[in-house]
Amino acid sequence: DTGVSQDPRHKITKRGQNVTFRCDPISEHNRLYWYRQTLGQGPEFLTYFQNEAQLEKSRLLSDRFSAERPKGSFSTLEIQRTEQGDSAMYLCASSSQNYGYTFGSGTRLTVV
Amino acid sequence: GESVGLHLPTLSVQEGDNSIINCAYSNSASDYFIWYKQESGKGPQFIIDIRSNMDKRQGQRVTVLLNKTVKHLSLQIAATQPGDSAVYFCAENMDSARQLTFGSGTQLTVLP
C-alpha cells in the first residue's frame, strides 16, 4: 500500500459545472476525512467517515457538496454547480484508531 | 470558535542550525497534537505527534515539546537541511479519530 491516493491531481472546470474527486485511503484505515485548503491557510475540515457512515459534516460543506463512501473503502467528493470560491486544494486523509492521519497529495481545483 | 495559531508566519535559518517553530493553541480540552510539513503542491506530511499526557517526544532530528500550562507547542528541527524548507502546520484535536484543527502555518526557509 502506497498511502492515500487522490485523483485527479488537478482539475480545471468552468463555473456551473459539476466535478467529482476520488480518494483511496490506506487499506487498513477505517476512517476517512475530507479537508479543503486555500492558499496560505491550513486545511479546513469538511467531513468524516467511519467505514461507510458519514458521521460528521462541517458547516463549510454546503448543499452543493456531497461525499460518499459506499463500501467503506474509497470515497468520492462531488461539487455541483461549481463557483469560483470553490477553487482550492481538496485533501483526503485516512486513519485508524491507533494511527495518526495520513494525507493524500490532494486535488487542485480551479474554477474559471 | 477555538483555534490553533502560530506565532510566526515565516522563519529563515542557516543550513546546519537548529530550527524552532512555535504554536499556540486555545482549546484546553485538546489532547492530541500533530506537526505536519507541507511542500508546495503536495499534501501535508506527518512529522511527529504527541498526546497530552506527555511533554516531550523525539523523532529523527525532530523534537516536539508540549507545555499544557501555557498551551504551547513547539517543533525543534536539529541540523536543518535545505530539504526541510516547507510550510509547517501544527494541528490539534480532542479525539484521535476525529477532525483536526489546523493553524495557518509557518514558512521555513533554509539558507545556504
Side-chain angles (χ1 to χ4, degrees):
Chain A
D1 188 87
T2 57
V4 178
S5 298
Q6 291 189 246
D7 183 70
R9 290 296 310 278
H10 304 276
K11 178 70 177 178
I12 300 174
T13 190
K14 292 184 178 180
R15 188 175 51 187
Q17 297 294 305
N18 300 341
V19 294
T20 300
F21 310 140
R22 177 179 169 125
C23 171
D24 287 89
I26 293 174
S27 57
E28 58 265 31
H29 287 179
N30 62 341
R31 292 165 177 154
L32 186 147
Y33 314 80
W34 285 99
Y35 286 76
R36 181 174 69 186
Q37 185 177 27
T38 53
L39 194 62
Q41 300 298 313
E44 296 174 294
F45 171 77
L46 292 178
T47 191
Y48 154 60
F49 290 85
Q50 182 163 325
N51 300 313
E52 67 275 8
Q54 188 173 18
L55 298 184
E56 195 166 341
K57 292 194 289 186
S58 162
R59 61 181 180 274
L60 294 175
L61 211 67
S62 76
D63 291 344
R64 296 184 297 104
F65 287 69
S66 62
E68 295 182 344
R69 194 183 183 197
K71 297 182 179 179
S73 56
F74 74 92
S75 175
T76 58
L77 177 68
E78 181 183 16
I79 308 174
Q80 296 182 325
R81 305 181 303 281
T82 51
E83 302 173 356
Q84 287 188 320
D86 297 331
S87 295
M89 175 78 86
Y90 290 85
L91 292 162
C92 177
S94 69
S95 74
S96 66
Q97 188 164 1
N98 297 319
Y99 295 93
Y101 289 61
T102 302
F103 280 86
S105 294
T107 294
R108 168 72 65 189
L109 174 66
T110 303
V111 182
V112 298
Chain B
E2 293 181 315
S3 63
V4 174
L6 294 170
H7 291 311
L8 297 172
T10 61
L11 176 66
S12 296
V13 298
Q14 292 294 136
E15 182 178 354
D17 287 351
N18 297 335
S19 302
I20 300 176
I21 301 172
N22 296 304
C23 175
Y25 65 95
S26 56
N27 188 345
S28 57
S30 293
D31 60 7
Y32 180 58
F33 304 88
I34 308 176
W35 279 102
Y36 285 95
K37 171 187 180 183
Q38 189 172 26
E39 297 173 289
S40 181
K42 298 183 179 180
Q45 176 188 354
F46 175 92
I47 300 173
I48 192 167
D49 60 1
I50 189 167
R51 297 196 180 276
S52 58
N53 61 353
M54 303 173 68
D55 54 18
K56 181 179 180 179
R57 192 166 186 219
Q58 289 184 295
Q60 187 176 11
R61 284 201 307 119
V62 295
T63 300
V64 56
L65 299 177
L66 175 62
N67 186 331
K68 294 182 289 293
T69 302
V70 295
K71 289 183 284 188
H72 183 268
L73 191 70
S74 69
L75 176 70
Q76 300 178 359
I77 305 173
T80 314
Q81 302 170 358
D84 295 327
S85 293
V87 177
Y88 289 80
F89 293 97
C90 64
E92 62 167 335
N93 77 359
M94 292 181 287
D95 176 337
S96 62
R98 298 178 63 192
Q99 67 188 81
L100 295 174
T101 301
F102 283 81
S104 57
T106 292
Q107 173 71 59
L108 174 66
T109 301
V110 181
L111 305 172

